[in-house]
Amino acid sequence: MTTPALTIAEILDLPAVVPLWPTVGRALSLAESTTYQLAAENRLPIEVIRLGRRRVARTVDLHRFLGLLPQEIGAVPGVQPGTSAGNDEAAGVQPAASVEQIRTHQQVRRD
């Protein structure tokens, strides 16, 4: 039985520090064994913090990896000061990668 992936709303509602499994693994659509194996090999795309026997990650790192945070606080990507930002295309804002695009990229790398 597979555990469903976290939704964006659930990911944005996480506390400051979360356990690797199930939270980080589910957010990245990884199985428990894969999550811990990548963490052990230092290949997980976010920093892993060891607290005794527990492994946790900062939520801000997870948000940044998933493209849910702007690069700088208060900054809107692709918008120059003094320019009109009527719509995203006119402002040059690029959408963040979707969870499906990340999954596809992960599957391609495994093959």
Side-chain angles (χ1 to χ4, degrees):
M1 179 180 203
T2 60
T3 307
L6 293 175
T7 65
I8 292 176
E10 290 172 325
I11 293 169
L12 291 173
D13 209 25
L14 293 172
V17 177
V18 293
L20 276 189
W21 184 259
T23 309
V24 173
R26 285 184 57 204
L28 300 176
S29 297
L30 298 172
E32 181 177 6
S33 59
T34 304
T35 303
Y36 283 113
Q37 180 179 358
L38 291 174
E41 296 171 357
N42 201 24
R43 291 179 39 212
L44 207 59
I46 58 175
E47 181 182 359
V48 175
I49 302 166
R50 293 195 64 138
L51 297 175
R53 294 181 59 156
R54 292 181 53 204
R55 293 182 187 150
V56 297
R58 291 184 303 244
T59 303
V60 70
D61 292 339
L62 181 61
H63 289 174
R64 190 169 289 121
F65 174 73
L66 294 174
L68 300 175
L69 286 181
Q71 297 300 325
E72 297 179 30
I73 295 177
V76 178
V79 176
Q80 301 294 328
T83 62
S84 170
N87 63 27
D88 290 348
E89 290 177 9
V93 175
Q94 297 295 319
S98 70
V99 174
E100 291 301 321
Q101 290 171 327
I102 293 169
R103 285 186 196 145
T104 302
H105 179 69
Q106 289 171 344
Q107 289 173 346
V108 168
R109 288 193 335 197
R110 288 184 206 149
D111 296 339

